[in-house]
Amino acid sequence: MQLLQILADDNILASFELLNKLKPKFWLRLVIDLVSIFILVRFIYYPIYKNRNYIFTFFIFNLVIFLITHLFNKVELSMGAAFGLFAVFSMLRYRTEGISIKDMTYLFLAIAIGLITAASKGSWDEFIVLNGIILGITYLLESNLFMKNESSKIISYSNMSLIQPELHKELIAELETKIGIKINRLNIKEFDLAKNKVQIEIFYFDKWNKN
């Protein structure tokens, strides 16, 4: 028991010594990185998509890439090489998953923020500005400040009598009444004559951010 206690005390002391070796710049960069990814996920991604499935992935990818890039900097690995390594790994890992283009873009942003914050050679205010630019432009593009966000969904429709070019307006009016969405445009995707149904992709403006 005494031997185990001694070993435990030695491990605790070693952990404190390791923490003491980390410079204040590391902790400052880590805080800036975590704040940046928190803003991206909590105040930009989640309010729009209401999807919790990838929040854990975004945070863990960001943190792990930040830590490993920080270690790579000590062996003089260039930022370009580190970025290419992790970007290719992430794309190959998730290309077989059912991840959307937007989710993949946010994963890429999480990687970029971790790399910029860990590998930037400038002062702390420089990578704060860089992260701020990423977050600001992402927010502006996702908001309705410059253009409306057009979303789409595919629905199954059975009233085949309205699937005619001259009845296009009547078809849109009936769909709007049934689903309660103002339709911007639609596209006929697939006919199922056996079931007398058709797959229609409808496009509508997503007003998640009302201005």
Side-chain angles (χ1 to χ4, degrees):
M1 292 297 294
Q2 291 181 349
L3 178 60
L4 292 176
Q5 183 64 39
I6 292 173
L7 292 175
D9 292 340
D10 290 341
N11 289 333
I12 294 174
L13 291 174
S15 298
F16 279 115
E17 290 177 0
L18 178 61
L19 291 176
N20 290 332
K21 291 181 181 179
L22 296 174
K23 298 179 180 180
K25 290 183 179 179
F26 166 82
W27 297 108
L28 177 60
R29 287 173 181 261
L30 179 60
V31 170
I32 294 173
D33 176 66
L34 293 178
V35 170
S36 299
I37 190 65
F38 179 78
I39 293 174
L40 177 69
V41 174
R42 180 63 183 85
F43 296 106
I44 301 178
Y45 175 79
Y46 183 73
I48 303 172
Y49 301 103
K50 305 295 183 182
N51 186 359
R52 297 175 180 267
N53 295 336
Y54 298 109
I55 291 179
F56 174 81
T57 302
F58 296 152
F59 273 101
I60 294 301
F61 252 90
N62 171 266
L63 179 60
V64 171
I65 288 172
F66 172 87
L67 295 176
I68 296 180
T69 305
H70 173 76
L71 295 176
F72 278 175
N73 278 338
K74 295 185 177 182
V75 295
E76 302 299 328
L77 182 69
S78 69
M79 182 177 180
F83 184 81
L85 174 64
F86 290 112
V88 170
F89 168 76
S90 64
M91 298 303 175
L92 292 177
R93 169 64 184 83
Y94 284 93
R95 70 185 179 90
T96 57
E97 301 289 338
I99 184 171
S100 67
I101 297 297
K102 282 292 185 71
D103 291 329
M104 182 64 74
T105 301
Y106 276 92
L107 178 62
F108 183 81
L109 290 175
I111 292 172
I113 289 175
L115 286 170
I116 290 173
T117 311
S120 176
K121 301 299 183 182
S123 59
W124 62 271
D125 55 339
E126 181 177 335
F127 47 81
I128 284 181
V129 172
L130 293 175
N131 288 352
I133 291 174
I134 293 175
L135 296 174
I137 292 179
T138 302
Y139 175 80
L140 289 176
L141 292 176
E142 288 281 28
S143 69
N144 293 326
L145 295 178
F146 295 124
M147 64 179 66
K148 293 182 179 180
N149 292 305
E150 189 177 58
S151 300
S152 68
K153 64 174 60 177
I154 297 178
I155 62 174
S156 180
Y157 184 70
S158 59
N159 188 0
M160 301 295 287
S161 62
L162 292 180
I163 309 300
Q164 301 179 36
E166 61 272 16
L167 298 178
H168 184 75
K169 292 183 179 180
E170 288 80 356
L171 173 61
I172 291 179
E174 180 172 337
L175 291 174
E176 289 178 343
T177 301
K178 288 186 175 182
I179 63 179
I181 296 177
K182 179 65 176 178
I183 298 174
N184 181 37
R185 56 193 176 92
L186 57 80
N187 182 29
I188 306 297
K189 299 290 291 183
E190 182 179 349
F191 287 92
D192 188 347
L193 297 179
K195 296 182 179 180
N196 199 34
K197 290 184 178 181
V198 62
Q199 299 293 321
I200 302 178
E201 184 176 15
I202 62 171
F203 298 85
Y204 57 95
F205 290 133
D206 185 6
K207 298 181 180 180
W208 73 271
N209 187 14
K210 298 179 181 180
N211 292 299

